Amino acid sequence: MKNLVAELQWRGLVHDIMPGTEEQLLKEMTTTYIGFDPTSDSLHIGSLVPIILLVHLEKFGHKPIALIGGATGMIGDPSGKSDERNLLDEATLEKNVAGIKAVLSRFLDFNSTAANAPILVNNYDWMKDFSFINFARDVGKRITVNYMMAKDSVKKRLSAEGEGMSFTEFTYQLIQGYDFHHLYKTHHCLLQMGGSDQWGNITTGTELVRRMNGDGAKAYAMTCPLITKADGSKFGKSEGGNVWLTADKTSVYKFYQFWLNTTDVDAEKYIKIFTFLNKEIIDSLIAEHETAPHLRVLQKRVAQEVTTFVHGNEEFEKAVFASNAFFSPTMDDLKKLDITTFLEVFEGVPQAEVEMADIKHGMDMIAALAAKTGFLASNSEARRELQQNSISLNKEKVALDYSITAKDLIHNQFLMLQKGKKNYYLIKVV
């Protein structure tokens, strides 16, 4: 077996690893699972790391299991949380589980017939008929309260301000631990992976495997670091909230722009974590970027690799087209964009609305620049800029006497104004 741990280490994807884990992965095909919490009907880019870990496992000849927490999702994981979250009803959970299955199926072929074919499971399937008495007797007696209290996820909640931790959340690590035991019994699963905040839950699982299956039972644990930005802020959010892996929640254009706009420091880290490029190519790209940072070689390659991985090459090319359309010398490319993408391209550009009646008989340029929109501070400034030939309408220079009519509208409702090379404005005609 090729050395998966060494591969993940140079990529910065190993945080904690239980002794013996690397040796086990080198010895034979090892069935490994990672859990996904069904708090939404999609996954955001914070879930990309565990997805990528599963893909790495498969590439290195191991058998990945993706577990959706249909049962644990009913309780809520206290790890990293300051307050108990609201419990989801069964209908919402069912919808969320179906959505997550659809996302995971884009990255892993659960219908494969290969020896190490990925498996998709839902812990609700084996927990739904488990009575409380049986769970308390068969599982609860295996782990002491002292052991559970020593976990960081529990200690932090008990020592922090607030209402503390409910019994429901306290039992979470036991239920997650039972998942490991169940997968050990049914699929000979020997390793669980997850984020570093999951170390306590995962090691409880390894302990349960040993205690419920005799002295010879072995189970292993490995976690990856939680990804942060260079400034220390949380990874995975933009100004508009989470960056999702489905286009209905985050458009492919916005997804592409998220990666394109990362800092140099973050891009150097992300190209190792979020792509499957080998070390030689990545080292070459980093060296190329260092010689000419203004060309943003790293950001462009990260954006290409991740967008293609998540949405496919065709959608990546559409996102690039939309990105370039804004800076095209004519309006032809912008006119080819659908209205949603068109507006996304202009996000952050000053915008104003005017009535359709204002252009019915022609609207003069001073009104378009100042009186009706406030883009420029005064009518006199608008007149001066027009006289200096620095104003463009839909990327064509216009004079002081130009009159805007319906024939100038893009998609029958937009007008693009420009002052000089860098100042853009968008008028929406309603």
Side-chain angles (χ1 to χ4, degrees):
M1 305 296 290
K2 292 181 293 182
N3 194 327
L4 174 64
V5 173
E7 174 78 11
L8 298 181
Q9 281 174 331
W10 79 258
R11 290 184 181 275
L13 282 169
V14 176
H15 187 271
D16 291 303
I17 183 166
M18 189 173 280
T21 303
E22 185 172 4
E23 290 78 3
Q24 170 59 38
L25 288 166
L26 282 169
K27 184 173 72 173
E28 61 189 354
M29 179 183 82
T30 302
T31 303
T32 303
Y33 97 92
I34 298 177
F36 294 85
D37 216 358
T39 51
S40 171
D41 60 355
S42 181
L43 295 171
H44 54 75
I45 56 174
S47 300
L48 256 185
V49 172
I51 289 169
I52 283 169
L53 287 173
L54 289 172
V55 175
H56 276 302
L57 278 158
E58 187 179 15
K59 284 177 179 287
F60 274 70
H62 301 290
K63 190 175 186 69
I65 298 179
L67 179 146
I68 302 177
T72 38
M74 290 181 165
I75 292 172
D77 183 2
S79 304
K81 307 289 190 302
S82 56
D83 294 300
E84 185 152 356
R85 70 181 179 204
N86 294 327
L87 300 183
L88 300 175
D89 59 70
E90 283 195 47
T92 303
L93 266 170
E94 199 172 307
K95 177 174 176 282
N96 291 354
V97 167
I100 292 172
K101 280 182 179 178
V103 174
L104 291 173
S105 297
R106 284 159 40 196
F107 305 102
L108 298 158
D109 181 7
F110 298 111
N111 297 315
S112 169
T113 56
N116 68 327
I119 299 172
L120 181 66
V121 296
N122 179 354
N123 62 9
Y124 183 73
D125 292 339
W126 57 83
M127 293 302 300
K128 66 180 184 293
D129 298 322
F130 217 144
S131 75
F132 177 77
I133 290 173
N134 286 340
F135 188 83
R137 187 191 64 192
D138 297 341
V139 182
K141 71 175 183 179
R142 312 280 181 171
I143 302 289
T144 66
V145 171
N146 310 55
Y147 180 90
M148 295 170 72
M149 294 277 284
K151 299 294 183 181
D152 283 344
S153 58
V154 175
K155 285 196 292 189
K156 286 176 183 175
R157 281 288 292 278
L158 294 180
S159 62
E161 292 181 9
E163 296 182 359
M165 175 186 273
S166 69
F167 174 76
T168 302
E169 279 194 319
F170 184 60
T171 60
Y172 185 94
Q173 60 174 295
L174 277 186
I175 297 173
Q176 182 172 322
Y178 184 79
D179 288 343
F180 203 166
H181 159 74
H182 177 84
L183 294 175
Y184 174 87
K185 292 284 284 185
T186 56
H187 295 286
H188 193 55
C189 179
L190 298 181
L191 170 62
Q192 184 183 170
M193 296 171 73
S196 58
D197 60 336
Q198 291 294 309
W199 182 251
N201 291 334
I202 294 173
T203 51
T204 298
T206 63
E207 198 63 27
L208 261 183
V209 168
R210 281 192 283 271
R211 294 184 184 189
M212 293 184 77
N213 295 281
D215 294 338
K218 292 181 180 178
Y220 303 94
M222 180 161 53
T223 62
C224 61
L226 298 179
I227 310 302
T228 56
K229 295 181 183 177
D231 61 7
S233 62
K234 189 173 182 180
F235 167 79
K237 291 184 183 291
S238 67
E239 289 180 13
N242 284 327
V243 179
W244 297 90
L245 301 182
T246 45
D248 61 323
K249 292 182 182 287
T250 299
S251 72
V252 182
Y253 172 78
K254 281 188 174 179
F255 185 88
Y256 173 74
Q257 289 292 320
F258 172 84
W259 300 99
L260 198 61
N261 292 322
T262 53
T263 65
D264 289 351
V265 174
D266 285 335
E268 187 171 330
K269 180 166 73 170
Y270 294 168
I271 199 162
K272 297 173 186 174
I273 294 171
F274 294 104
T275 80
F276 297 93
L277 298 172
N278 64 38
K279 193 172 189 302
E280 290 72 27
I281 291 174
I282 288 176
D283 288 344
S284 171
L285 286 165
I286 291 171
E288 185 181 350
H289 183 86
E290 286 172 351
T291 62
H294 63 285
L295 295 178
R296 300 177 68 76
V297 170
L298 277 181
Q299 285 90 339
K300 288 176 182 176
R301 191 60 184 269
V302 171
Q304 176 186 347
E305 294 291 327
V306 182
T307 306
T308 303
F309 176 63
V310 173
H311 293 290
N313 189 61
E314 187 178 337
E315 292 299 318
F316 157 70
E317 289 178 353
K318 287 180 186 176
V320 173
F321 180 84
S323 301
N324 294 336
F326 189 81
F327 302 103
S328 175
T330 70
M331 290 300 295
D332 293 346
D333 289 345
L334 279 169
K335 288 177 180 177
K336 292 174 185 174
L337 303 178
D338 60 78
I339 290 177
T340 302
T341 308
F342 180 88
L343 287 171
E344 286 175 348
V345 168
F346 280 89
E347 201 170 88
V349 170
Q351 300 182 16
E353 290 186 355
V354 301
E355 301 282 336
M356 185 64 80
D358 292 327
I359 68 165
K360 191 171 185 181
H361 302 295
M363 180 170 67
D364 65 78
M365 291 305 302
I366 290 176
L369 288 163
K372 288 284 185 181
T373 63
F375 290 147
L376 301 186
S378 64
N379 288 352
S380 58
E381 183 187 352
R383 183 175 289 106
R384 183 171 64 251
E385 294 292 348
L386 284 159
Q387 288 170 339
Q388 291 175 355
N389 199 34
S390 62
I391 301 296
S392 298
L393 171 68
N394 297 340
K395 299 202 174 184
E396 291 188 6
K397 295 286 185 182
V398 287
L400 181 60
D401 60 354
Y402 191 87
S403 182
I404 297 173
T405 63
K407 67 177 173 54
D408 295 307
L409 294 176
I410 306 159
H411 288 309
N412 296 316
Q413 59 179 314
F414 303 110
L415 297 162
M416 175 181 163
L417 293 169
Q418 194 175 347
K419 186 186 82 167
K421 289 185 176 180
K422 294 184 178 178
N423 298 299
Y424 295 89
Y425 312 96
L426 186 69
I427 296 176
K428 186 176 183 182
V429 181
V430 295

